[in-house]
């Protein structure tokens, strides 16, 4: 018999329209797919109630976000960040600085990046 405890997610109402899921293996995924403004995802990232860093994955895919500011993630860290299929023109280098020890996958495919990270 396994007594499995899922790591915490922030309150669903506090992060809507983003969604948080977790598994008993300790993988927390915050998904903000389809959002049109970075501020919506940033609000979800800053919500109270997540477990300790690093979280498993952050998804911001298939939206119309054009820029990721240096303070976008704050102190939140992930092992996987998927930012593909948006309209990103710029991702400020400082945005992933807090994750440099944890980040394994960063996907920026299918965007409009005009400057390197």
């Amino acid at each position: 018999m396994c007594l499995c405890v899922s790591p915490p997610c922030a309150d669903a109402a506090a992060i809507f329209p983003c969604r948080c899921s977790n598994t008993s293996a300790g993988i927390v995924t915050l998904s903000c797919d389809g959002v049109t403004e970075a501020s919506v995802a940033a609000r979800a990232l800053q919500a109270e109630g997540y477990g300790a860093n690093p979280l498993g994955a952050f998804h911001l895919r298939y939206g119309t976000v054009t820029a990721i500011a240096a303070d976008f993630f704050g102190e939140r860290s992930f092992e996987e960040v998927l930012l593909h299929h948006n309209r990103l023109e710029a991702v400020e280098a400082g945005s992933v600085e807090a994750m440099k020890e944890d980040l394994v996958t960063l996907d920026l495919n299918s965007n409009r990046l005009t400057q390197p990270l």
Side-chain angles (χ1 to χ4, degrees), residues 31-46:
S31 177
C32 294
D33 291 342
V35 300
T36 58
E37 295 184 21
S39 61
V40 172
R43 180 181 45 80
L45 285 162
Q46 302 309 316

Side-chain angles (χ1 to χ4, degrees), residues 21-113:
S21 62
N22 54 42
T23 68
S24 59
I27 299 169
V28 174
T29 299
L30 177 59
S31 177
C32 294
D33 291 342
V35 300
T36 58
E37 295 184 21
S39 61
V40 172
R43 180 181 45 80
L45 285 162
Q46 302 309 316
E48 297 284 327
Y50 298 110
N53 283 332
L55 300 179
F58 175 74
H59 299 169
L60 179 64
R61 308 169 297 184
Y62 305 102
T64 58
V65 175
T66 59
I68 301 293
D71 62 349
F72 179 76
F73 290 101
E75 295 300 313
R76 187 78 56 221
S77 186
F78 295 92
E79 293 176 351
E80 175 183 84
V81 175
L82 305 181
L83 303 174
H84 60 80
H85 290 90
N86 283 288
R87 295 183 184 161
L88 290 174
E89 296 174 2
V91 177
E92 294 184 14
S95 63
V96 294
E97 184 65 25
M99 291 184 254
K100 66 182 176 185
E101 300 296 321
D102 303 316
L103 191 61
V104 175
T105 303
L106 174 62
D107 186 343
L108 296 166
N109 286 316
S110 299
N111 281 290
R112 301 173 178 173
L113 295 172

